[in-house]
Amino acid sequence: MKAAVLYGDDDLRYEEVAEPEVKAGQVKVRVKACGVCGSDIPRALSGGAHYYPIILGHEFSGYVAEVGEGVTSVKEGDHVVGVPLVPCLECADCLRGNFSQCKNYTFIGSRDPGAYSDYVVMPEKNVVKIDESIPFTAAAMFEPCTVSLHGLRVSGYKGGGTVAVLGCGTIGLFALEWARIMGAKKIVAFDISDEQLATAKRVGADEVVNTLEEGFEEKALSYTDSGRGFDYVFETAGSVPTIKMTFSLAANKATVCFIGTPTKDITFSKGLWEQINRKELTVRGSWMSGGTAPFPGDDWSLVAHYTASGEMIIDDGFIYKKFKMQDASKAFEDFKQPGKVKGRVMLVND
Ligand SMILES: [Zn+2]
Ligand SMILES: [Zn+2]
């Protein structure tokens, strides 16, 4: 089979590799689409890979090409998405259903061979069957969609209230869609790109705020009841300015949730940090996805359900550019200019 193999920084080669064999309990997926995640950028461009050569790609969809002995939940031809996390299912965290906290995990596309390839093999448990009406490129965004849902669920969000979503990348857009689906009273989306804010509006933001504008904070607070701030603040960018914004935008007694992976060291003024005390904020972190056990958790089946029903909108507006798998190396070009890529870069197999 063919795969885009990473040999070193900015050295991606589309070449012939051995096709993985299916063992008992495993499923071989013919990859149709695979997203380039933000976490793949340091892996591909700046020494962030676990080893070389490696096949990246953990946000993927396709159809079942072959099933190993004993596999019963899917059959050849089924449309599926892959769950990249492969937890041990035996440690104390796994037994509690906290799979994303497993310490003995492996991960398709960072530790195990990923989906920048024709085929990828995984345990049966890592395959989620999807409705055939869902385009493969949309299904390849299920993974970030579960990450966003997880953030809302661990924050105890159950609808109502005013919701701020900081950052309108893929995770942010999905976070605001979940807030809409779960019944937010008002959703305000924040970003530095008017283009991303337009997408945010299209998929459910009631108001949008460009944080490069002077006085943006006042404007944002004016969208909340008597300017008291937001009941829920979801940080999805992981950037220093958005992380700092969270505490100022939060209302008294609000919940602040950090979903975005931080990109740099951060220092807080004591005044800013003190807002956690004064406002009696609930501060939550969220990591990957999960939900109610068994593995992979119902975050995945909820994404599959709401996408099939059309309530979760995952359309081409989320895609920045599409490339054929053989052009995978070109897919990383635009990432060399920070801030240029808006939305997902998608790799597709014919
Ligand atoms: Zn990812
Ligand atoms: Zn475990």
PDB file of all heavy atoms in Angstrom, residues 96-117:
ATOM      1  N   ARG A  96     -12.119   2.948  35.841  1.00  0.00           N
ATOM      2  CA  ARG A  96     -13.100   3.960  36.235  1.00  0.00           C
ATOM      3  C   ARG A  96     -13.773   4.581  35.013  1.00  0.00           C
ATOM      4  O   ARG A  96     -14.599   5.486  35.155  1.00  0.00           O
ATOM      5  CB  ARG A  96     -12.404   5.067  37.036  1.00  0.00           C
ATOM      6  CG  ARG A  96     -12.063   4.676  38.456  1.00  0.00           C
ATOM      7  CD  ARG A  96     -11.179   5.746  39.106  1.00  0.00           C
ATOM      8  NE  ARG A  96     -11.003   5.511  40.528  1.00  0.00           N
ATOM      9  CZ  ARG A  96     -10.159   4.631  41.046  1.00  0.00           C
ATOM     10  NH1 ARG A  96      -9.405   3.900  40.239  1.00  0.00           N
ATOM     11  NH2 ARG A  96     -10.060   4.473  42.344  1.00  0.00           N
ATOM     12  N   GLY A  97     -13.397   4.152  33.826  1.00  0.00           N
ATOM     13  CA  GLY A  97     -13.988   4.715  32.605  1.00  0.00           C
ATOM     14  C   GLY A  97     -13.321   5.991  32.140  1.00  0.00           C
ATOM     15  O   GLY A  97     -13.808   6.661  31.231  1.00  0.00           O
ATOM     16  N   ASN A  98     -12.181   6.333  32.783  1.00  0.00           N
ATOM     17  CA  ASN A  98     -11.468   7.561  32.394  1.00  0.00           C
ATOM     18  C   ASN A  98     -10.354   7.213  31.402  1.00  0.00           C
ATOM     19  O   ASN A  98      -9.164   7.326  31.698  1.00  0.00           O
ATOM     20  CB  ASN A  98     -10.890   8.253  33.639  1.00  0.00           C
ATOM     21  CG  ASN A  98     -11.971   8.588  34.637  1.00  0.00           C
ATOM     22  OD1 ASN A  98     -13.105   8.890  34.255  1.00  0.00           O
ATOM     23  ND2 ASN A  98     -11.644   8.540  35.918  1.00  0.00           N
ATOM     24  N   PHE A  99     -10.786   6.818  30.203  1.00  0.00           N
ATOM     25  CA  PHE A  99      -9.835   6.262  29.235  1.00  0.00           C
ATOM     26  C   PHE A  99      -8.774   7.276  28.792  1.00  0.00           C
ATOM     27  O   PHE A  99      -7.641   6.914  28.533  1.00  0.00           O
ATOM     28  CB  PHE A  99     -10.588   5.721  28.020  1.00  0.00           C
ATOM     29  CG  PHE A  99     -11.703   4.794  28.400  1.00  0.00           C
ATOM     30  CD1 PHE A  99     -13.030   5.152  28.179  1.00  0.00           C
ATOM     31  CD2 PHE A  99     -11.440   3.580  29.014  1.00  0.00           C
ATOM     32  CE1 PHE A  99     -14.068   4.310  28.554  1.00  0.00           C
ATOM     33  CE2 PHE A  99     -12.465   2.731  29.393  1.00  0.00           C
ATOM     34  CZ  PHE A  99     -13.788   3.102  29.169  1.00  0.00           C
ATOM     35  N   SER A 100      -9.160   8.553  28.693  1.00  0.00           N
ATOM     36  CA  SER A 100      -8.184   9.536  28.211  1.00  0.00           C
ATOM     37  C   SER A 100      -7.096   9.801  29.260  1.00  0.00           C
ATOM     38  O   SER A 100      -6.106  10.451  28.965  1.00  0.00           O
ATOM     39  CB  SER A 100      -8.875  10.842  27.800  1.00  0.00           C
ATOM     40  OG  SER A 100      -9.352  11.537  28.926  1.00  0.00           O
ATOM     41  N   GLN A 101      -7.281   9.288  30.482  1.00  0.00           N
ATOM     42  CA  GLN A 101      -6.257   9.444  31.517  1.00  0.00           C
ATOM     43  C   GLN A 101      -5.391   8.191  31.668  1.00  0.00           C
ATOM     44  O   GLN A 101      -4.524   8.140  32.538  1.00  0.00           O
ATOM     45  CB  GLN A 101      -6.906   9.772  32.858  1.00  0.00           C
ATOM     46  CG  GLN A 101      -6.886  11.254  33.195  1.00  0.00           C
ATOM     47  CD  GLN A 101      -8.193  11.935  32.902  1.00  0.00           C
ATOM     48  OE1 GLN A 101      -9.239  11.319  32.991  1.00  0.00           O
ATOM     49  NE2 GLN A 101      -8.127  13.190  32.533  1.00  0.00           N
ATOM     50  N   CYS A 102      -5.609   7.196  30.834  1.00  0.00           N
ATOM     51  CA  CYS A 102      -4.817   5.960  30.899  1.00  0.00           C
ATOM     52  C   CYS A 102      -3.332   6.291  30.744  1.00  0.00           C
ATOM     53  O   CYS A 102      -2.956   7.103  29.910  1.00  0.00           O
ATOM     54  CB  CYS A 102      -5.246   5.010  29.772  1.00  0.00           C
ATOM     55  SG  CYS A 102      -4.222   3.533  29.663  1.00  0.00           S
ATOM     56  N   LYS A 103      -2.510   5.655  31.584  1.00  0.00           N
ATOM     57  CA  LYS A 103      -1.067   5.919  31.493  1.00  0.00           C
ATOM     58  C   LYS A 103      -0.356   4.901  30.611  1.00  0.00           C
ATOM     59  O   LYS A 103       0.808   5.065  30.274  1.00  0.00           O
ATOM     60  CB  LYS A 103      -0.451   5.929  32.899  1.00  0.00           C
ATOM     61  CG  LYS A 103      -0.753   7.220  33.635  1.00  0.00           C
ATOM     62  CD  LYS A 103      -0.417   7.121  35.113  1.00  0.00           C
ATOM     63  CE  LYS A 103      -1.105   8.218  35.914  1.00  0.00           C
ATOM     64  NZ  LYS A 103      -2.561   7.942  36.106  1.00  0.00           N
ATOM     65  N   ASN A 104      -1.047   3.827  30.278  1.00  0.00           N
ATOM     66  CA  ASN A 104      -0.418   2.776  29.462  1.00  0.00           C
ATOM     67  C   ASN A 104      -1.022   2.718  28.062  1.00  0.00           C
ATOM     68  O   ASN A 104      -1.136   1.664  27.481  1.00  0.00           O
ATOM     69  CB  ASN A 104      -0.597   1.414  30.141  1.00  0.00           C
ATOM     70  CG  ASN A 104      -0.225   1.467  31.611  1.00  0.00           C
ATOM     71  OD1 ASN A 104       0.821   2.007  31.947  1.00  0.00           O
ATOM     72  ND2 ASN A 104      -1.083   0.953  32.461  1.00  0.00           N
ATOM     73  N   TYR A 105      -1.417   3.895  27.572  1.00  0.00           N
ATOM     74  CA  TYR A 105      -2.128   3.925  26.291  1.00  0.00           C
ATOM     75  C   TYR A 105      -1.159   3.958  25.122  1.00  0.00           C
ATOM     76  O   TYR A 105       0.022   4.271  25.278  1.00  0.00           O
ATOM     77  CB  TYR A 105      -3.025   5.165  26.223  1.00  0.00           C
ATOM     78  CG  TYR A 105      -2.267   6.452  26.057  1.00  0.00           C
ATOM     79  CD1 TYR A 105      -2.090   7.019  24.787  1.00  0.00           C
ATOM     80  CD2 TYR A 105      -1.707   7.104  27.148  1.00  0.00           C
ATOM     81  CE1 TYR A 105      -1.386   8.195  24.628  1.00  0.00           C
ATOM     82  CE2 TYR A 105      -1.002   8.280  26.998  1.00  0.00           C
ATOM     83  CZ  TYR A 105      -0.838   8.824  25.723  1.00  0.00           C
ATOM     84  OH  TYR A 105      -0.132   9.979  25.573  1.00  0.00           O
ATOM     85  N   THR A 106      -1.687   3.617  23.964  1.00  0.00           N
ATOM     86  CA  THR A 106      -0.986   3.965  22.743  1.00  0.00           C
ATOM     87  C   THR A 106      -1.961   4.787  21.901  1.00  0.00           C
ATOM     88  O   THR A 106      -3.124   4.972  22.294  1.00  0.00           O
ATOM     89  CB  THR A 106      -0.435   2.722  22.015  1.00  0.00           C
ATOM     90  OG1 THR A 106       0.330   3.168  20.898  1.00  0.00           O
ATOM     91  CG2 THR A 106      -1.533   1.787  21.557  1.00  0.00           C
ATOM     92  N   PHE A 107      -1.502   5.323  20.798  1.00  0.00           N
ATOM     93  CA  PHE A 107      -2.314   6.285  20.052  1.00  0.00           C
ATOM     94  C   PHE A 107      -2.037   6.115  18.560  1.00  0.00           C
ATOM     95  O   PHE A 107      -0.888   6.181  18.124  1.00  0.00           O
ATOM     96  CB  PHE A 107      -1.950   7.710  20.515  1.00  0.00           C
ATOM     97  CG  PHE A 107      -2.979   8.761  20.187  1.00  0.00           C
ATOM     98  CD1 PHE A 107      -4.061   8.988  21.030  1.00  0.00           C
ATOM     99  CD2 PHE A 107      -2.858   9.539  19.040  1.00  0.00           C
ATOM    100  CE1 PHE A 107      -5.005   9.979  20.745  1.00  0.00           C
ATOM    101  CE2 PHE A 107      -3.794  10.523  18.747  1.00  0.00           C
ATOM    102  CZ  PHE A 107      -4.870  10.748  19.603  1.00  0.00           C
ATOM    103  N   ILE A 108      -3.108   5.883  17.800  1.00  0.00           N
ATOM    104  CA  ILE A 108      -2.963   5.711  16.356  1.00  0.00           C
ATOM    105  C   ILE A 108      -2.586   7.057  15.743  1.00  0.00           C
ATOM    106  O   ILE A 108      -3.282   8.046  15.928  1.00  0.00           O
ATOM    107  CB  ILE A 108      -4.279   5.175  15.746  1.00  0.00           C
ATOM    108  CG1 ILE A 108      -4.615   3.795  16.313  1.00  0.00           C
ATOM    109  CG2 ILE A 108      -4.195   5.148  14.220  1.00  0.00           C
ATOM    110  CD1 ILE A 108      -6.046   3.340  16.046  1.00  0.00           C
ATOM    111  N   GLY A 109      -1.472   7.088  15.063  1.00  0.00           N
ATOM    112  CA  GLY A 109      -1.055   8.321  14.404  1.00  0.00           C
ATOM    113  C   GLY A 109      -0.055   9.155  15.194  1.00  0.00           C
ATOM    114  O   GLY A 109       0.339  10.221  14.747  1.00  0.00           O
ATOM    115  N   SER A 110       0.351   8.657  16.388  1.00  0.00           N
ATOM    116  CA  SER A 110       1.467   9.332  17.060  1.00  0.00           C
ATOM    117  C   SER A 110       2.437   8.303  17.652  1.00  0.00           C
ATOM    118  O   SER A 110       3.634   8.520  17.687  1.00  0.00           O
ATOM    119  CB  SER A 110       0.985  10.297  18.148  1.00  0.00           C
ATOM    120  OG  SER A 110       0.677   9.624  19.349  1.00  0.00           O
ATOM    121  N   ARG A 111       1.897   7.172  18.131  1.00  0.00           N
ATOM    122  CA  ARG A 111       2.746   6.089  18.644  1.00  0.00           C
ATOM    123  C   ARG A 111       2.617   4.862  17.747  1.00  0.00           C
ATOM    124  O   ARG A 111       3.583   4.156  17.501  1.00  0.00           O
ATOM    125  CB  ARG A 111       2.348   5.744  20.084  1.00  0.00           C
ATOM    126  CG  ARG A 111       2.695   6.857  21.063  1.00  0.00           C
ATOM    127  CD  ARG A 111       1.898   6.760  22.350  1.00  0.00           C
ATOM    128  NE  ARG A 111       2.004   7.981  23.136  1.00  0.00           N
ATOM    129  CZ  ARG A 111       2.818   8.150  24.166  1.00  0.00           C
ATOM    130  NH1 ARG A 111       3.591   7.171  24.574  1.00  0.00           N
ATOM    131  NH2 ARG A 111       2.858   9.300  24.807  1.00  0.00           N
ATOM    132  N   ASP A 112       1.381   4.608  17.288  1.00  0.00           N
ATOM    133  CA  ASP A 112       1.126   3.535  16.316  1.00  0.00           C
ATOM    134  C   ASP A 112       0.947   4.160  14.931  1.00  0.00           C
ATOM    135  O   ASP A 112       0.605   5.332  14.831  1.00  0.00           O
ATOM    136  CB  ASP A 112      -0.160   2.783  16.695  1.00  0.00           C
ATOM    137  CG  ASP A 112       0.049   1.850  17.879  1.00  0.00           C
ATOM    138  OD1 ASP A 112       1.221   1.584  18.217  1.00  0.00           O
ATOM    139  OD2 ASP A 112      -0.952   1.397  18.457  1.00  0.00           O
ATOM    140  N   PRO A 113       1.150   3.349  13.863  1.00  0.00           N
ATOM    141  CA  PRO A 113       0.982   3.898  12.506  1.00  0.00           C
ATOM    142  C   PRO A 113      -0.418   4.493  12.315  1.00  0.00           C
ATOM    143  O   PRO A 113      -1.412   3.908  12.723  1.00  0.00           O
ATOM    144  CB  PRO A 113       1.181   2.677  11.607  1.00  0.00           C
ATOM    145  CG  PRO A 113       1.965   1.713  12.421  1.00  0.00           C
ATOM    146  CD  PRO A 113       1.578   1.942  13.845  1.00  0.00           C
ATOM    147  N   GLY A 114      -0.456   5.671  11.695  1.00  0.00           N
ATOM    148  CA  GLY A 114      -1.711   6.399  11.531  1.00  0.00           C
ATOM    149  C   GLY A 114      -2.308   6.302  10.145  1.00  0.00           C
ATOM    150  O   GLY A 114      -2.002   5.390   9.376  1.00  0.00           O
ATOM    151  N   ALA A 115      -3.153   7.278   9.839  1.00  0.00           N
ATOM    152  CA  ALA A 115      -4.043   7.182   8.682  1.00  0.00           C
ATOM    153  C   ALA A 115      -3.644   8.064   7.501  1.00  0.00           C
ATOM    154  O   ALA A 115      -4.446   8.266   6.604  1.00  0.00           O
ATOM    155  CB  ALA A 115      -5.468   7.503   9.127  1.00  0.00           C
ATOM    156  N   TYR A 116      -2.423   8.575   7.470  1.00  0.00           N
ATOM    157  CA  TYR A 116      -1.953   9.225   6.241  1.00  0.00           C
ATOM    158  C   TYR A 116      -1.512   8.081   5.315  1.00  0.00           C
ATOM    159  O   TYR A 116      -0.358   7.997   4.913  1.00  0.00           O
ATOM    160  CB  TYR A 116      -0.758  10.138   6.490  1.00  0.00           C
ATOM    161  CG  TYR A 116      -1.012  11.392   7.301  1.00  0.00           C
ATOM    162  CD1 TYR A 116       0.052  12.263   7.596  1.00  0.00           C
ATOM    163  CD2 TYR A 116      -2.275  11.743   7.748  1.00  0.00           C
ATOM    164  CE1 TYR A 116      -0.147  13.417   8.329  1.00  0.00           C
ATOM    165  CE2 TYR A 116      -2.474  12.899   8.491  1.00  0.00           C
ATOM    166  CZ  TYR A 116      -1.404  13.726   8.784  1.00  0.00           C
ATOM    167  OH  TYR A 116      -1.588  14.871   9.516  1.00  0.00           O
ATOM    168  N   SER A 117      -2.442   7.196   5.031  1.00  0.00           N
ATOM    169  CA  SER A 117      -2.088   5.972   4.321  1.00  0.00           C
ATOM    170  C   SER A 117      -3.335   5.363   3.679  1.00  0.00           C
ATOM    171  O   SER A 117      -4.437   5.868   3.861  1.00  0.00           O
ATOM    172  CB  SER A 117      -1.466   4.965   5.296  1.00  0.00           C
ATOM    173  OG  SER A 117      -2.420   4.590   6.261  1.00  0.00           O
TER     174      SER A 117
END
